[in-house]
């Protein structure tokens, strides 16, 4: 007989009724919870601690992205442009430390109009606001909820260009930290961003990759943020931790890394929805996929036609492309195709 899980009250307080409907739909039809939902509740603190650990590490993807943004800043200052000021548009604002130096440089140079944080989670927006305004009390911080997998970038972002009628203001879009390869439809997300871009504006993207022929495809899930997300799901859904296993692996068929909750007992979940109830059952051996990261394959000469093709399909032209070989990380600057 399946174990009847006792779903915790926190599950219904952390997620809105609409998000609960969406999560239950994914559990029932896809046996997954997309990673975009793990920027809520106690996970906000996990992200804060994860960011601090990245900051303290001798080598980290965050430090690599920080250097990338420094170079972007230098090129912006050197480029010929009719732009007087910039809005920094941070798409997925879970790591304020990552943009701290960039924001400071823009403020010191008196070229920052506003900093606009976009995220699916109000908790992450609160974290961004708290930290950035503590560091920069005079910062014109703006925050807006946005699910970039489902919607075109908010119109308010385009409207911010008209904040000072006497000056030309452009948007600098940051999509940093690897979320690009974590979404289901990467091209659609890029299209949702590009929809409101101007030809003179830049979109900066960073994410991890694998070199073709690389033999080490192991995934150290114990130290990855997705393990914390799994533990949070186990807690919220009332699962006995002894009845499941957290597994991380490289999915050769799909071409990327995944983190799953593997059931070692049969479980039954009864969810309270807005106007009904829904029973979802998992049998021994079933999995809930919590995290996925598609891994582009980079040639030994650091070319990657698949990346260029995907950006082109979204209407974007890559104008700068850099590989940080030590961390197998790609850093891209792109513009609209004109």
């Amino acid at each position: 007989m399946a174990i009847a899980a006792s779903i915790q009250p926190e599950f219904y307080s952390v997620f809105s009724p609409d998000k609960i409907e969406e999560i239950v739909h994914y559990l029932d039809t896809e046996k997954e919870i997309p990673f975009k939902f793990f920027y809520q509740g106690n996970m906000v603190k996990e992200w804060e601690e994860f960011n601090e650990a990245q900051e303290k590490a001798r080598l980290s993807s965050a430090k690599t992205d920080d250097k990338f943004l420094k170079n972007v800043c230098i090129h912006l200052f050197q480029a010929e442009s009719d732009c007087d000021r910039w809005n920094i548009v941070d798409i997925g604002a879970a790591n304020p430390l990552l943009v701290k130096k960039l924001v400071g440089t823009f403020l010191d140079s008196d070229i920052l109009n506003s900093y606009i944080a976009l995220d699916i989670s109000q908790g992450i927006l609160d974290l961004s606001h708290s930290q950035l305004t503590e560091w920069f009390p005079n910062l014109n911080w703006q925050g807006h909820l946005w699910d970039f997998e489902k919607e075109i970038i908010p119109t308010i972002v385009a409207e911010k260009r008209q904040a000072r009628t006497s000056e030309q203001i452009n948007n600098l879009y940051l999509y940093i930290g690897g979320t690009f390869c974590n979404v289901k439809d990467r091209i659609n997300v890029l299209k949702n961003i590009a929809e409101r871009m101007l030809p003179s504006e830049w979109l900066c993207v960073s994410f991890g990759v694998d070199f073709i022929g690389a033999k080490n495809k192991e995934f150290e899930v114990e130290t990855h943020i997705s393990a914390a997300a799994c533990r949070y799901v186990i807690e919220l859904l009332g699962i006995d931790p002894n009845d499941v296993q957290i597994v991380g692996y490289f999915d050769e068929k799909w071409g990327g890394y995944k983190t799953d909750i593997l059931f070692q007992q049969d479980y039954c979940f009864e969810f309270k929805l807005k106007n009904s109830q829904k029973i979802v059952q998992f049998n021994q051996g079933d999995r809930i996929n919590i995290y996925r990261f598609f891994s582009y394959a980079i040639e030994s000469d650091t070319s990657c036609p698949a990346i260029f093709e995907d950006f082109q399909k979204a209407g974007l032209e890559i104008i700068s492309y850099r590989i940080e070989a030590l961390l197998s990380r790609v850093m891209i600057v792109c513009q609209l195709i004109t």
Side-chain angles (χ1 to χ4, degrees), residues 89 91 110 147 149 178 300 320:
V89 182
I91 299 167
D110 195 28
D147 184 343
E149 292 192 71
S300 58
S320 178

Side-chain angles (χ1 to χ4, degrees), residues 142-335:
Q142 305 285 328
H144 302 280
L145 290 169
W146 178 42
D147 184 343
F148 49 65
E149 292 192 71
K150 297 172 64 176
E151 305 162 347
I152 294 171
I153 202 165
T155 56
I156 188 68
V157 175
E159 293 169 358
K160 286 296 177 183
R161 299 191 191 101
Q162 284 76 47
R164 297 177 182 228
T165 56
S166 62
E167 295 179 316
Q168 175 64 41
I169 300 170
N170 281 350
N171 291 333
L172 173 64
Y173 299 87
L174 308 181
Y175 190 13
I176 307 298
T179 308
F180 170 64
C181 285
N182 178 240
V183 299
K184 274 184 170 295
D185 189 336
R186 299 180 301 280
I187 296 172
N188 187 59
V189 170
L190 290 176
K191 287 180 177 178
N192 286 341
I193 299 169
E195 182 70 23
R196 300 201 193 280
M197 286 179 65
L198 295 178
S200 58
E201 296 178 336
W202 290 5
L203 167 62
C204 305
V205 188
S206 71
F207 51 93
V209 294
D210 281 314
F211 282 91
I212 291 177
K215 299 191 181 299
N216 185 12
K217 296 284 183 75
E218 294 180 2
F219 183 25
E220 296 181 3
V221 70
E222 295 83 3
T223 58
H224 194 266
I225 190 70
S226 61
C230 288
R231 290 191 291 269
Y232 195 39
V233 171
I234 292 167
E235 177 186 345
L236 289 179
L237 297 188
I239 302 170
D240 186 333
N242 296 313
D243 292 340
V244 291
Q245 181 182 359
I246 299 172
V247 292
Y249 58 100
F250 186 83
D251 185 337
E252 294 282 355
K253 184 177 180 180
W254 178 64
Y257 298 86
K258 292 183 178 180
T259 303
D260 294 344
I261 298 173
L262 173 63
F263 284 86
Q264 296 173 328
Q265 300 286 342
D266 297 345
Y267 260 82
C268 180
F269 303 91
E270 185 173 355
F271 295 96
K272 300 174 185 176
L273 305 181
K274 285 186 291 187
N275 300 311
S276 63
Q277 292 183 322
K278 178 69 177 180
I279 294 176
V280 180
Q281 184 157 332
F282 285 84
N283 298 322
Q284 182 180 0
D286 285 346
R287 299 168 180 247
I288 300 176
N289 176 244
I290 297 299
Y291 171 82
R292 60 176 62 204
F293 184 92
F294 178 77
S295 184
Y296 282 98
I298 301 293
E299 304 284 349
S300 58
D301 63 358
T302 72
S303 64
C304 185
I307 293 177
F308 282 79
E309 289 172 9
D310 281 359
F311 275 73
Q312 189 173 43
K313 289 175 184 176
L316 294 164
E317 177 185 12
I318 294 175
I319 60 174
S320 178
Y321 175 94
R322 177 178 175 178
I323 295 282
E324 186 66 38
L326 190 60
L327 290 172
S328 299
R329 198 159 185 82
V330 171
M331 292 152 284
I332 289 168
V333 179
C334 58
Q335 291 179 306

